[in-house]
Coordinates of all heavy atoms in Angstrom, one line a residue:
M25 N -91.5 -21.4 -136.1 CA -91.2 -20.0 -136.3 C -90.0 -19.9 -137.2 O -89.0 -20.6 -136.9 CB -90.9 -19.4 -135.0 CG -92.1 -19.1 -134.1 SD -93.2 -17.9 -134.8 CE -94.6 -18.7 -134.4
R26 N -90.0 -19.0 -138.1 CA -88.8 -18.8 -139.0 C -88.1 -17.5 -138.5 O -88.7 -16.5 -138.4 CB -89.3 -18.6 -140.4 CG -90.0 -19.8 -141.0 CD -90.7 -19.4 -142.3 NE -91.6 -18.4 -142.0 CZ -92.3 -17.7 -142.9 NH1 -92.1 -17.9 -144.2 NH2 -93.1 -16.7 -142.6
I27 N -86.8 -17.7 -138.1 CA -86.0 -16.6 -137.5 C -84.8 -16.4 -138.4 O -84.2 -17.3 -138.8 CB -85.6 -17.0 -136.1 CG1 -86.8 -17.2 -135.2 CG2 -84.7 -15.9 -135.5 CD1 -86.5 -17.7 -133.8
V28 N -84.5 -15.1 -138.6 CA -83.3 -14.7 -139.3 C -82.4 -14.0 -138.2 O -82.9 -13.2 -137.4 CB -83.6 -13.7 -140.4 CG1 -82.3 -13.2 -141.0 CG2 -84.3 -14.4 -141.5
V29 N -81.1 -14.4 -138.2 CA -80.2 -13.9 -137.2 C -79.1 -13.1 -137.9 O -78.5 -13.7 -138.9 CB -79.6 -15.0 -136.3 CG1 -78.5 -14.4 -135.4 CG2 -80.6 -15.8 -135.6
L30 N -78.9 -11.9 -137.5 CA -77.9 -11.0 -138.1 C -76.9 -10.5 -137.1 O -77.4 -10.2 -135.9 CB -78.5 -9.9 -138.9 CG -79.5 -10.2 -140.0 CD1 -80.2 -9.0 -140.4 CD2 -78.7 -10.8 -141.1
S31 N -75.7 -10.3 -137.4 CA -74.7 -9.6 -136.5 C -74.0 -8.6 -137.3 O -73.6 -8.8 -138.5 CB -73.7 -10.7 -136.0 OG -72.7 -10.1 -135.3
N32 N -73.6 -7.5 -136.6 CA -72.8 -6.5 -137.2 C -71.3 -6.8 -137.1 O -70.4 -6.1 -137.6 CB -73.1 -5.1 -136.7 CG -72.8 -5.0 -135.2 OD1 -72.4 -5.9 -134.6 ND2 -73.1 -3.8 -134.7
A33 N -71.0 -8.0 -136.5 CA -69.6 -8.4 -136.4 C -69.3 -9.3 -137.7 O -68.5 -8.8 -138.5 CB -69.4 -9.3 -135.2
D34 N -69.9 -10.4 -137.8 CA -69.7 -11.3 -139.0 C -70.7 -12.4 -138.9 O -71.4 -12.6 -138.0 CB -68.2 -11.8 -139.2 CG -67.7 -12.6 -138.0 OD1 -68.5 -13.3 -137.3 OD2 -66.5 -12.5 -137.7
M35 N -70.7 -13.2 -140.0 CA -71.7 -14.3 -140.0 C -71.3 -15.4 -139.0 O -72.2 -16.1 -138.6 CB -71.8 -14.9 -141.4 CG -70.6 -15.7 -141.9 SD -71.0 -16.2 -143.6 CE -70.5 -17.9 -143.5
Y36 N -70.1 -15.5 -138.6 CA -69.7 -16.5 -137.6 C -70.3 -16.1 -136.2 O -70.7 -17.0 -135.4 CB -68.2 -16.7 -137.5 CG -67.7 -17.2 -138.9 CD1 -67.0 -16.3 -139.7 CD2 -68.0 -18.4 -139.4 CE1 -66.5 -16.6 -141.0 CE2 -67.5 -18.8 -140.6 CZ -66.8 -17.9 -141.4 OH -66.4 -18.3 -142.7
H37 N -70.3 -14.8 -135.9 CA -70.9 -14.4 -134.7 C -72.4 -14.6 -134.8 O -73.0 -15.0 -133.8 CB -70.6 -12.9 -134.5 CG -71.1 -12.4 -133.2 ND1 -72.2 -11.5 -133.2 CD2 -70.8 -12.6 -131.9 CE1 -72.5 -11.2 -131.9 NE2 -71.6 -11.9 -131.1
A38 N -73.0 -14.3 -135.9 CA -74.5 -14.6 -136.1 C -74.7 -16.0 -135.9 O -75.8 -16.4 -135.3 CB -74.9 -14.1 -137.4
R39 N -73.9 -16.9 -136.4 CA -74.1 -18.4 -136.2 C -74.0 -18.8 -134.8 O -74.7 -19.6 -134.3 CB -73.0 -19.1 -137.0 CG -73.1 -20.6 -137.1 CD -74.2 -21.0 -138.0 NE -75.2 -21.7 -137.2 CZ -76.5 -21.9 -137.6 NH1 -76.9 -21.5 -138.8 NH2 -77.3 -22.5 -136.9
M40 N -73.1 -18.1 -134.0 CA -73.0 -18.4 -132.6 C -74.3 -18.0 -131.8 O -74.8 -18.8 -131.0 CB -71.8 -17.6 -132.0 CG -71.5 -17.9 -130.5 SD -72.5 -16.9 -129.3 CE -72.0 -15.2 -129.7
I41 N -74.8 -16.8 -132.2 CA -76.1 -16.4 -131.6 C -77.2 -17.4 -132.0 O -78.0 -17.9 -131.2 CB -76.5 -15.0 -132.1 CG1 -75.5 -14.0 -131.5 CG2 -77.9 -14.7 -131.6 CD1 -75.7 -12.6 -132.1
A42 N -77.2 -17.9 -133.3 CA -78.2 -18.8 -133.7 C -78.1 -20.2 -133.0 O -79.1 -20.8 -132.6 CB -78.0 -19.1 -135.2
D43 N -76.9 -20.6 -132.8 CA -76.6 -21.9 -132.0 C -77.2 -21.8 -130.6 O -77.7 -22.7 -130.1 CB -75.2 -22.2 -132.0 CG -74.6 -22.7 -133.4 OD1 -75.5 -23.0 -134.2 OD2 -73.4 -22.7 -133.5
T44 N -77.0 -20.6 -130.0 CA -77.5 -20.4 -128.6 C -79.1 -20.5 -128.7 O -79.7 -21.1 -127.8 CB -77.1 -19.0 -128.1 OG1 -75.7 -18.9 -128.1 CG2 -77.6 -18.7 -126.7
L45 N -79.7 -19.9 -129.7 CA -81.1 -19.9 -129.8 C -81.6 -21.3 -130.0 O -82.6 -21.8 -129.5 CB -81.6 -19.0 -130.9 CG -81.4 -17.5 -130.7 CD1 -81.6 -16.7 -132.0 CD2 -82.3 -17.0 -129.6
I46 N -80.9 -22.1 -130.9 CA -81.3 -23.5 -131.1 C -81.2 -24.3 -129.8 O -82.1 -25.1 -129.6 CB -80.4 -24.1 -132.3 CG1 -80.8 -23.4 -133.6 CG2 -80.6 -25.6 -132.3 CD1 -79.8 -23.7 -134.7
H47 N -80.2 -24.1 -129.1 CA -80.0 -24.8 -127.8 C -81.1 -24.5 -126.9 O -81.6 -25.3 -126.2 CB -78.7 -24.4 -127.2 CG -78.4 -25.0 -125.9 ND1 -78.1 -26.4 -125.7 CD2 -78.5 -24.5 -124.6 CE1 -78.0 -26.7 -124.4 NE2 -78.2 -25.6 -123.7
E48 N -81.6 -23.2 -126.9 CA -82.6 -22.8 -126.0 C -84.0 -23.2 -126.4 O -84.8 -23.6 -125.6 CB -82.6 -21.3 -125.8 CG -83.6 -20.7 -124.8 CD -83.2 -20.9 -123.4 OE1 -82.0 -21.1 -123.1 OE2 -84.1 -20.8 -122.5
F49 N -84.3 -23.1 -127.7 CA -85.7 -23.3 -128.2 C -85.9 -24.5 -129.1 O -87.0 -24.9 -129.4 CB -86.1 -22.0 -129.0 CG -86.1 -20.8 -128.1 CD1 -85.2 -19.8 -128.3 CD2 -87.0 -20.6 -127.1 CE1 -85.1 -18.7 -127.5 CE2 -87.0 -19.5 -126.3 CZ -86.0 -18.6 -126.5
G50 N -84.8 -25.2 -129.5 CA -84.8 -26.5 -130.2 C -85.7 -26.5 -131.4 O -85.6 -25.6 -132.3
S51 N -86.5 -27.5 -131.6 CA -87.2 -27.7 -132.8 C -88.4 -26.8 -133.0 O -89.0 -26.9 -134.1 CB -87.7 -29.2 -132.8 OG -88.6 -29.4 -131.8
R52 N -88.7 -25.9 -132.1 CA -89.8 -25.0 -132.2 C -89.4 -23.9 -133.2 O -90.3 -23.1 -133.6 CB -90.1 -24.4 -130.9 CG -90.8 -25.4 -129.9 CD -91.1 -24.7 -128.6 NE -89.8 -24.6 -127.9 CZ -89.7 -24.1 -126.7 NH1 -90.7 -23.5 -126.1 NH2 -88.5 -24.0 -126.1
I53 N -88.1 -23.7 -133.6 CA -87.7 -22.7 -134.5 C -86.9 -23.2 -135.6 O -86.3 -24.3 -135.5 CB -86.9 -21.6 -133.7 CG1 -85.7 -22.2 -133.1 CG2 -87.8 -20.9 -132.7 CD1 -84.7 -21.2 -132.4
T54 N -86.9 -22.4 -136.7 CA -86.0 -22.7 -137.9 C -85.2 -21.4 -138.1 O -85.8 -20.3 -138.2 CB -86.9 -22.9 -139.1 OG1 -87.7 -24.1 -138.9 CG2 -86.0 -23.2 -140.3
I55 N -83.9 -21.5 -138.0 CA -83.1 -20.3 -138.1 C -82.3 -20.3 -139.4 O -81.7 -21.3 -139.9 CB -82.1 -20.3 -136.9 CG1 -82.9 -20.1 -135.6 CG2 -81.1 -19.2 -137.1 CD1 -82.1 -19.9 -134.4
K56 N -82.2 -19.0 -139.9 CA -81.4 -18.8 -141.1 C -80.4 -17.7 -140.8 O -80.7 -16.7 -140.2 CB -82.2 -18.3 -142.3 CG -81.4 -17.9 -143.5 CD -82.3 -17.8 -144.7 CE -81.5 -17.5 -146.0 NZ -80.5 -18.4 -146.4
V57 N -79.1 -18.0 -141.1 CA -78.1 -17.0 -140.9 C -77.6 -16.7 -142.3 O -76.9 -17.5 -143.0 CB -76.9 -17.5 -140.1 CG1 -75.8 -16.5 -140.0 CG2 -77.4 -17.8 -138.7
P58 N -77.9 -15.5 -142.9 CA -77.5 -15.2 -144.2 C -76.0 -15.2 -144.4 O -75.3 -14.7 -143.5 CB -78.1 -13.7 -144.5 CG -79.1 -13.6 -143.4 CD -78.7 -14.4 -142.3
G59 N -75.5 -15.7 -145.5 CA -74.1 -15.8 -145.7 C -73.6 -14.5 -146.4 O -72.4 -14.3 -146.5
C60 N -74.4 -13.7 -147.0 CA -74.0 -12.5 -147.7 C -73.9 -11.3 -146.7 O -74.6 -11.3 -145.7 CB -74.9 -12.2 -148.9 SG -76.6 -11.8 -148.4
I61 N -73.1 -10.4 -147.1 CA -72.9 -9.2 -146.2 C -73.6 -8.0 -146.8 O -73.6 -6.9 -146.1 CB -71.4 -8.9 -146.0 CG1 -70.7 -8.6 -147.3 CG2 -70.7 -10.0 -145.2 CD1 -69.3 -8.1 -147.2
N62 N -74.1 -8.1 -147.9 CA -74.8 -6.9 -148.6 C -76.3 -7.0 -148.4 O -77.1 -6.9 -149.4 CB -74.5 -6.9 -150.1 CG -73.0 -6.6 -150.3 OD1 -72.3 -5.9 -149.5 ND2 -72.4 -7.2 -151.4
I63 N -76.8 -7.1 -147.2 CA -78.2 -7.1 -146.9 C -78.6 -5.7 -146.6 O -78.1 -5.0 -145.7 CB -78.5 -8.0 -145.7 CG1 -78.1 -9.5 -146.1 CG2 -80.0 -8.0 -145.4 CD1 -78.2 -10.4 -145.0
T64 N -79.6 -5.2 -147.3 CA -80.1 -3.9 -147.0 C -81.4 -3.9 -146.1 O -82.0 -4.9 -146.0 CB -80.5 -3.2 -148.4 OG1 -81.6 -3.9 -148.9 CG2 -79.3 -3.1 -149.3
R65 N -81.7 -2.7 -145.7 CA -82.9 -2.6 -144.8 C -84.1 -3.0 -145.6 O -85.0 -3.7 -145.1 CB -83.0 -1.1 -144.4 CG -84.2 -0.8 -143.5 CD -84.2 0.7 -143.2 NE -84.9 0.9 -142.0 CZ -84.3 0.9 -140.8 NH1 -83.0 0.7 -140.7 NH2 -85.0 1.1 -139.7
K66 N -84.1 -2.7 -146.9 CA -85.3 -3.1 -147.8 C -85.4 -4.6 -147.9 O -86.5 -5.2 -147.9 CB -85.1 -2.5 -149.2 CG -86.3 -2.6 -150.1 CD -86.1 -1.7 -151.3 CE -87.5 -1.3 -151.8 NZ -87.8 0.1 -151.5
H67 N -84.2 -5.3 -148.0 CA -84.2 -6.8 -148.0 C -84.9 -7.3 -146.7 O -85.7 -8.2 -146.8 CB -82.8 -7.4 -148.1 CG -82.2 -7.2 -149.5 ND1 -81.1 -6.5 -149.7 CD2 -82.5 -7.7 -150.7 CE1 -80.7 -6.5 -150.9 NE2 -81.6 -7.3 -151.6
L68 N -84.4 -6.8 -145.6 CA -84.9 -7.2 -144.3 C -86.4 -7.0 -144.2 O -87.1 -7.8 -143.6 CB -84.2 -6.5 -143.2 CG -82.8 -7.0 -142.9 CD1 -82.2 -6.1 -141.8 CD2 -82.7 -8.4 -142.6
E69 N -86.9 -5.8 -144.6 CA -88.3 -5.5 -144.5 C -89.2 -6.5 -145.3 O -90.4 -6.6 -145.0 CB -88.6 -4.1 -144.9 CG -88.0 -3.1 -143.9 CD -88.2 -1.6 -144.3 OE1 -88.6 -1.4 -145.4 OE2 -87.9 -0.8 -143.4
H70 N -88.7 -7.2 -146.3 CA -89.5 -8.1 -147.1 C -89.0 -9.5 -146.9 O -89.4 -10.4 -147.7 CB -89.4 -7.7 -148.6 CG -90.0 -6.3 -148.8 ND1 -89.3 -5.1 -148.8 CD2 -91.3 -5.9 -149.0 CE1 -90.1 -4.1 -149.0 NE2 -91.3 -4.6 -149.1
W71 N -88.2 -9.8 -145.9 CA -87.7 -11.2 -145.7 C -88.8 -12.1 -145.3 O -89.7 -11.7 -144.5 CB -86.6 -11.1 -144.6 CG -85.6 -12.2 -144.8 CD1 -85.9 -13.6 -144.6 CD2 -84.3 -12.1 -145.2 NE1 -84.7 -14.3 -144.9 CE2 -83.7 -13.4 -145.2 CE3 -83.5 -11.0 -145.5 CZ2 -82.4 -13.7 -145.5 CZ3 -82.1 -11.3 -145.8 CH2 -81.6 -12.6 -145.8
E72 N -88.8 -13.3 -145.8 CA -89.8 -14.3 -145.5 C -89.4 -14.9 -144.1 O -88.8 -16.0 -144.1 CB -89.8 -15.4 -146.5 CG -90.4 -15.0 -147.8 CD -91.9 -15.1 -147.9 OE1 -92.5 -16.0 -147.2 OE2 -92.5 -14.3 -148.6
C73 N -89.8 -14.3 -143.0 CA -89.5 -14.8 -141.7 C -90.6 -14.2 -140.7 O -91.3 -13.3 -141.0 CB -88.1 -14.5 -141.3 SG -87.8 -12.7 -141.0
D74 N -90.6 -14.8 -139.5 CA -91.5 -14.3 -138.5 C -90.8 -13.4 -137.5 O -91.5 -12.5 -136.9 CB -92.0 -15.5 -137.7 CG -92.8 -16.5 -138.6 OD1 -93.7 -16.1 -139.2 OD2 -92.3 -17.7 -138.6
L75 N -89.5 -13.5 -137.4 CA -88.8 -12.8 -136.4 C -87.3 -12.5 -136.9 O -86.7 -13.4 -137.5 CB -88.7 -13.5 -135.1 CG -88.0 -13.0 -133.9 CD1 -88.6 -11.7 -133.4 CD2 -88.0 -14.0 -132.7
I76 N -86.8 -11.3 -136.6 CA -85.4 -11.0 -136.9 C -84.7 -10.7 -135.6 O -85.2 -10.0 -134.8 CB -85.3 -9.9 -137.9 CG1 -85.9 -10.2 -139.3 CG2 -83.8 -9.5 -138.1 CD1 -86.0 -9.0 -140.2
I77 N -83.6 -11.4 -135.4 CA -82.8 -11.1 -134.2 C -81.5 -10.6 -134.6 O -80.7 -11.2 -135.5 CB -82.6 -12.4 -133.4 CG1 -84.0 -12.9 -132.9 CG2 -81.7 -12.2 -132.2 CD1 -84.0 -14.2 -132.2
T78 N -81.1 -9.4 -134.0 CA -79.8 -8.8 -134.3 C -79.1 -8.4 -133.1 O -79.7 -8.4 -132.0 CB -80.1 -7.5 -135.1 OG1 -80.7 -6.5 -134.2 CG2 -80.9 -7.7 -136.4
N79 N -77.8 -8.1 -133.2 CA -77.1 -7.5 -132.1 C -76.9 -6.0 -132.3 O -76.0 -5.4 -131.7 CB -75.7 -8.2 -131.9 CG -74.8 -8.0 -133.1 OD1 -75.2 -7.7 -134.2 ND2 -73.5 -8.0 -132.8
F80 N -77.7 -5.4 -133.1 CA -77.6 -4.0 -133.3 C -79.1 -3.5 -133.5 O -80.0 -4.2 -133.7 CB -76.8 -3.6 -134.6 CG -77.3 -4.4 -135.8 CD1 -78.2 -3.8 -136.7 CD2 -76.7 -5.6 -136.1 CE1 -78.7 -4.5 -137.8 CE2 -77.2 -6.3 -137.3 CZ -78.1 -5.7 -138.1
A81 N -79.2 -2.2 -133.3 CA -80.6 -1.6 -133.3 C -81.0 -1.3 -134.8 O -80.2 -0.9 -135.6 CB -80.6 -0.2 -132.5
L82 N -82.3 -1.5 -135.0 CA -82.9 -1.2 -136.3 C -84.0 -0.2 -136.0 O -85.1 -0.6 -135.6 CB -83.5 -2.4 -137.0 CG -82.5 -3.4 -137.7 CD1 -83.2 -4.6 -138.1 CD2 -81.9 -2.7 -138.9
E83 N -83.7 1.1 -136.1 CA -84.6 2.1 -135.8 C -85.7 2.2 -136.9 O -85.4 2.1 -138.1 CB -83.9 3.5 -135.7 CG -82.8 3.5 -134.6 CD -83.4 3.4 -133.2 OE1 -84.5 3.9 -133.0 OE2 -82.7 2.9 -132.3
D84 N -86.9 2.5 -136.5 CA -88.0 2.7 -137.4 C -88.1 1.6 -138.5 O -88.2 1.9 -139.7 CB -87.9 4.1 -138.1 CG -87.9 5.2 -137.1 OD1 -88.7 5.1 -136.2 OD2 -87.2 6.2 -137.3
F85 N -88.0 0.4 -138.0 CA -88.1 -0.8 -138.9 C -89.5 -1.2 -139.2 O -90.3 -1.3 -138.3 CB -87.3 -1.9 -138.3 CG -87.1 -3.1 -139.1 CD1 -86.3 -3.1 -140.3 CD2 -87.7 -4.3 -138.8 CE1 -86.2 -4.2 -141.1 CE2 -87.6 -5.5 -139.6 CZ -86.8 -5.4 -140.7
N86 N -89.8 -1.4 -140.5 CA -91.2 -1.7 -141.0 C -91.3 -3.1 -141.4 O -92.2 -3.4 -142.2 CB -91.6 -0.7 -142.1 CG -91.7 0.7 -141.6 OD1 -92.1 1.0 -140.5 ND2 -91.2 1.6 -142.4
G87 N -90.5 -4.0 -141.0 CA -90.6 -5.4 -141.5 C -91.1 -6.3 -140.4 O -91.8 -5.8 -139.5
P88 N -90.7 -7.5 -140.4 CA -91.1 -8.5 -139.3 C -90.6 -8.0 -138.0 O -89.7 -7.1 -137.9 CB -90.3 -9.8 -139.7 CG -90.0 -9.6 -141.1 CD -89.8 -8.2 -141.4
L89 N -91.2 -8.5 -136.9 CA -90.7 -8.2 -135.6 C -89.2 -8.4 -135.4 O -88.7 -9.4 -135.9 CB -91.5 -9.1 -134.6 CG -91.1 -8.9 -133.1 CD1 -91.5 -7.5 -132.6 CD2 -91.9 -9.9 -132.3
C90 N -88.6 -7.4 -134.8 CA -87.1 -7.4 -134.7 C -86.7 -7.3 -133.2 O -87.3 -6.4 -132.6 CB -86.5 -6.3 -135.5 SG -84.7 -6.3 -135.5
I91 N -85.8 -8.1 -132.8 CA -85.4 -8.0 -131.4 C -83.9 -7.9 -131.4 O -83.1 -8.6 -132.1 CB -85.7 -9.3 -130.6 CG1 -87.2 -9.4 -130.5 CG2 -85.1 -9.4 -129.2 CD1 -87.7 -10.7 -129.8
Q92 N -83.4 -6.9 -130.6 CA -82.0 -6.7 -130.4 C -81.5 -7.5 -129.2 O -82.1 -7.4 -128.1 CB -81.6 -5.2 -130.3 CG -80.2 -5.0 -130.1 CD -79.9 -3.5 -129.9 OE1 -80.8 -2.6 -130.0 NE2 -78.6 -3.2 -129.6
V93 N -80.4 -8.3 -129.4 CA -79.8 -9.0 -128.2 C -78.4 -8.5 -128.1 O -77.8 -7.8 -128.9 CB -79.8 -10.5 -128.4 CG1 -81.3 -11.1 -128.5 CG2 -79.0 -10.9 -129.7
S94 N -77.8 -8.8 -126.9 CA -76.4 -8.4 -126.7 C -75.4 -9.3 -127.5 O -75.8 -10.3 -128.1 CB -76.1 -8.5 -125.2 OG -76.3 -9.9 -124.8
Q95 N -74.2 -8.9 -127.5 CA -73.1 -9.6 -128.2 C -73.1 -11.1 -127.9 O -72.9 -12.0 -128.7 CB -71.7 -9.0 -128.0 CG -71.6 -7.6 -128.5 CD -71.6 -7.5 -130.0 OE1 -71.4 -8.5 -130.7 NE2 -72.0 -6.4 -130.5
F96 N -73.3 -11.4 -126.6 CA -73.4 -12.8 -126.1 C -74.7 -12.9 -125.3 O -74.8 -12.5 -124.2 CB -72.2 -13.1 -125.2 CG -70.9 -13.0 -125.9 CD1 -70.1 -11.9 -125.8 CD2 -70.5 -14.0 -126.7 CE1 -69.0 -11.7 -126.5 CE2 -69.3 -13.9 -127.4 CZ -68.5 -12.8 -127.3
P97 N -75.8 -13.4 -126.0 CA -77.1 -13.4 -125.4 C -77.2 -14.0 -124.0 O -76.6 -15.1 -123.8 CB -77.9 -14.2 -126.4 CG -77.2 -14.1 -127.7 CD -75.7 -14.0 -127.3
D98 N -77.9 -13.3 -123.1 CA -78.0 -13.8 -121.8 C -79.4 -14.1 -121.5 O -80.3 -14.2 -122.4 CB -77.5 -12.7 -120.8 CG -78.2 -11.3 -121.0 OD1 -79.3 -11.3 -121.6 OD2 -77.7 -10.3 -120.5
Q99 N -79.7 -14.4 -120.2 CA -81.1 -14.8 -119.8 C -82.1 -13.8 -120.1 O -83.3 -14.1 -120.6 CB -81.1 -15.2 -118.3 CG -80.4 -16.4 -118.0 CD -80.5 -16.8 -116.5 OE1 -80.5 -15.8 -115.7 NE2 -80.5 -18.0 -116.2
I100 N -81.8 -12.5 -120.0 CA -82.8 -11.4 -120.3 C -83.1 -11.4 -121.8 O -84.2 -11.3 -122.2 CB -82.2 -10.1 -119.8 CG1 -82.1 -10.1 -118.3 CG2 -83.1 -8.9 -120.3 CD1 -81.4 -8.9 -117.7
N101 N -82.0 -11.6 -122.6 CA -82.3 -11.7 -124.1 C -83.1 -12.9 -124.4 O -84.0 -12.8 -125.3 CB -81.0 -11.8 -124.8 CG -80.1 -10.6 -124.7 OD1 -78.9 -10.7 -124.7 ND2 -80.7 -9.4 -124.5
M102 N -82.9 -14.0 -123.8 CA -83.6 -15.3 -124.1 C -85.1 -15.0 -123.7 O -86.0 -15.5 -124.4 CB -83.0 -16.5 -123.4 CG -81.7 -16.9 -123.9 SD -81.8 -17.4 -125.6 CE -80.8 -16.1 -126.4
L103 N -85.3 -14.3 -122.6 CA -86.7 -14.0 -122.2 C -87.4 -13.2 -123.2 O -88.6 -13.4 -123.5 CB -86.7 -13.4 -120.8 CG -88.1 -13.0 -120.2 CD1 -88.9 -14.3 -120.1 CD2 -87.9 -12.3 -118.9
K104 N -86.7 -12.2 -123.7 CA -87.3 -11.3 -124.8 C -87.7 -12.1 -126.0 O -88.7 -11.9 -126.6 CB -86.3 -10.2 -125.2 CG -86.2 -9.1 -124.2 CD -85.5 -7.8 -124.8 CE -84.3 -8.0 -125.6 NZ -83.5 -6.8 -125.9
V105 N -86.8 -13.1 -126.4 CA -87.1 -13.9 -127.6 C -88.2 -14.8 -127.3 O -89.1 -15.0 -128.1 CB -85.8 -14.7 -128.0 CG1 -86.1 -15.7 -129.0 CG2 -84.7 -13.8 -128.4
R106 N -88.3 -15.4 -126.1 CA -89.3 -16.3 -125.7 C -90.7 -15.6 -125.7 O -91.7 -16.1 -126.2 CB -89.1 -16.9 -124.3 CG -90.2 -17.9 -123.8 CD -89.9 -18.5 -122.5 NE -88.6 -19.1 -122.4 CZ -88.2 -20.2 -122.8 NH1 -89.1 -21.0 -123.4 NH2 -87.0 -20.7 -122.6
E107 N -90.7 -14.3 -125.2 CA -91.9 -13.5 -125.2 C -92.4 -13.2 -126.6 O -93.6 -13.3 -126.9 CB -91.8 -12.3 -124.4 CG -91.7 -12.5 -122.9 CD -91.3 -11.3 -122.1 OE1 -90.9 -10.3 -122.7 OE2 -91.4 -11.4 -120.9
A108 N -91.4 -12.9 -127.5 CA -91.8 -12.6 -128.9 C -92.3 -13.9 -129.6 O -93.3 -13.8 -130.3 CB -90.5 -12.1 -129.6
L109 N -91.7 -15.0 -129.3 CA -92.2 -16.3 -129.9 C -93.6 -16.6 -129.4 O -94.5 -17.0 -130.2 CB -91.3 -17.4 -129.6 CG -89.9 -17.4 -130.3 CD1 -89.0 -18.5 -129.7 CD2 -90.0 -17.4 -131.8
M110 N -93.9 -16.3 -128.2 CA -95.2 -16.6 -127.6 C -96.2 -15.6 -128.3 O -97.3 -16.0 -128.6 CB -95.2 -16.4 -126.1 CG -94.5 -17.6 -125.4 SD -94.3 -17.4 -123.6 CE -95.8 -16.6 -123.1
A111 N -95.8 -14.3 -128.4 CA -96.7 -13.3 -129.0 C -97.0 -13.7 -130.5 O -98.1 -13.5 -130.9 CB -96.1 -12.0 -128.9
L112 N -96.0 -14.2 -131.2 CA -96.3 -14.6 -132.6 C -97.2 -15.9 -132.7 O -97.9 -16.0 -133.6 CB -94.9 -14.9 -133.3 CG -94.1 -13.6 -133.5 CD1 -92.7 -14.0 -134.0 CD2 -94.8 -12.8 -134.6
T113 N -97.0 -16.7 -131.7 CA -97.8 -17.9 -131.7 C -99.3 -17.6 -131.2 O -100.2 -18.1 -131.8 CB -97.2 -19.0 -130.7 OG1 -95.9 -19.2 -131.1 CG2 -98.0 -20.3 -130.7
D114 N -99.4 -16.8 -130.2 CA -100.7 -16.4 -129.6 C -100.8 -14.9 -129.7 O -100.2 -14.2 -128.8 CB -100.8 -16.9 -128.2 CG -102.1 -16.5 -127.6 OD1 -103.0 -16.0 -128.3 OD2 -102.2 -16.7 -126.4
P115 N -101.4 -14.3 -130.7 CA -101.5 -12.8 -130.8 C -102.1 -12.1 -129.6 O -101.8 -10.9 -129.5 CB -102.3 -12.6 -132.1 CG -102.3 -13.9 -132.8 CD -102.1 -15.0 -131.8
S116 N -102.8 -12.8 -128.7 CA -103.3 -12.1 -127.6 C -102.2 -11.8 -126.5 O -102.4 -11.0 -125.6 CB -104.4 -12.9 -126.9 OG -103.9 -14.1 -126.4
T117 N -101.0 -12.4 -126.7 CA -99.8 -12.1 -125.9 C -99.0 -11.1 -126.6 O -98.7 -11.2 -127.7 CB -99.0 -13.4 -125.7 OG1 -99.8 -14.5 -125.3 CG2 -97.9 -13.2 -124.7
K118 N -98.6 -10.0 -125.9 CA -97.8 -8.9 -126.5 C -96.4 -9.0 -126.1 O -96.1 -9.2 -124.9 CB -98.4 -7.6 -126.1 CG -99.8 -7.3 -126.6 CD -99.9 -5.9 -126.9 CE -101.3 -5.8 -127.5 NZ -101.5 -4.7 -128.3
A119 N -95.5 -8.9 -127.1 CA -94.0 -8.8 -126.8 C -93.7 -7.4 -126.6 O -94.2 -6.5 -127.2 CB -93.2 -9.4 -128.0
E120 N -92.7 -7.2 -125.7 CA -92.2 -5.8 -125.4 C -90.9 -5.6 -126.2 O -90.1 -6.4 -126.3 CB -92.0 -5.6 -123.9 CG -93.4 -5.7 -123.2 CD -93.2 -5.5 -121.7 OE1 -92.2 -4.8 -121.3 OE2 -94.1 -5.9 -121.0

């Protein structure tokens, strides 16, 4: 699974979230943390990825599946990500 992680704090915070995801899901995922700060909604909607994880809401987003996590992802956030990964792997499973 290709995942993009974004933070409204900075790229170092996004990297921390990415490291947490790598620790949790290991080799099942490939994560990209963009280094630029000028990413628009249009860029995100056409990004080559399976899942976008942010610490902020993206209302009415028409791109890849997007999950909002807290500033410091907890077990509930990891469960949301796990369910999304399962849904992407097996379309008969639905992510909430």
